Amino acid sequence: MEGEIGGTTATTEYRASPFGPAEVVAKVADAAFGRPLVTNVLRAQLVEAMIALVLEPVWHWCGADYAPCDFERADGLRLEVKQSAARQSWSTGKPSKAIFDVAARTGRNEAHGWVAEYGRAAHLYVFAHHPTFDDTADHRDPAQWLFYVVPTTALPDVKQIALGTIRTMAEAVPISMLAETVAAAASTISNPRTA
């Protein structure tokens, strides 16, 4: 390939790679998720993927960089996922305290741009907690997680909320009961597009 750089013509050769995108993705996936304990930064995606497997196709997994929520239903109902684990990928010596960020925001990104509207963008929250601290802890195992479904209107006006407080608002359910629990909680919320 030829191009002009600083008034001179330069030639760049592109050589075939001995591997392609699939191999790179597999390598990254193994590094990120190939061990039982997943770093906190990536664990959120792992939990959202588990939840997507039980909520789709009723809910669309839309969580991405700066998305206003993690899941959305066709009628506009939004769901936010927060997660915490007792055992971390680094040595802590004792179980980590489960505290979740629920702070209201000054606005949110939508498809058409920034919407300056104070509050929480989701109508429902799913708080996922991985309580296992011993050597059997495997963040990748959906059966080891407990889920708490809380309508946003039930959350106090705080920036962070502890698991103990969440337990006063909702009962823990396993992944096998999450879809029906979300559906029951969603049925108590007015349609956001007509409310």
Side-chain angles (χ1 to χ4, degrees):
M1 179 176 177
E2 290 189 4
E4 194 170 302
I5 300 173
T8 62
T9 302
T11 303
T12 306
E13 282 187 40
Y14 291 100
R15 297 190 177 131
S17 174
F19 50 83
E23 289 84 3
V24 174
V25 169
K27 188 77 170 169
V28 170
D30 184 56
F33 304 110
R35 291 177 276 297
L37 302 179
V38 178
T39 182
N40 194 39
V41 175
L42 298 174
R43 200 169 53 234
Q45 286 183 310
L46 188 71
V47 172
E48 288 176 23
M50 290 176 196
I51 292 172
L53 289 168
V54 297
L55 293 185
E56 289 176 342
V58 175
W59 292 83
H60 168 67
W61 184 15
C62 56
D65 285 343
Y66 304 107
C69 62
D70 297 313
F71 291 87
E72 188 167 7
R73 215 168 58 177
D75 65 358
L77 201 67
R78 294 176 170 179
L79 185 148
E80 181 75 18
V81 176
K82 299 294 183 178
Q83 58 78 32
S84 181
R87 187 162 182 187
Q88 302 298 320
S89 58
W90 64 92
S91 177
T92 59
K94 62 181 182 178
S96 291
K97 191 171 182 177
I99 297 177
F100 305 89
D101 173 21
V102 293
R105 307 292 188 227
T106 59
R108 64 187 181 276
N109 279 310
E110 295 282 351
H112 58 277
W114 179 254
V115 176
E117 182 178 74
Y118 183 79
R120 296 177 174 125
H123 304 95
L124 281 174
Y125 275 74
V126 172
F127 297 98
H129 184 241
H130 191 280
T132 308
F133 186 71
D134 64 21
D135 289 341
T136 65
D138 188 340
H139 297 156
R140 305 164 303 175
D141 183 357
Q144 290 189 6
W145 287 86
L146 295 173
F147 301 89
Y148 302 82
V149 180
V150 179
T152 302
T153 55
L155 294 174
D157 186 19
V158 295
K159 292 181 179 182
Q160 295 181 326
I161 192 166
L163 182 60
T165 303
I166 293 167
R167 286 179 174 147
T168 67
M169 296 183 234
E171 289 188 33
V173 297
I175 192 82
S176 60
M177 293 177 58
L178 183 59
E180 67 188 72
T181 305
V182 167
S187 73
T188 68
I189 298 170
S190 298
N191 183 323
R193 293 209 175 127
T194 59

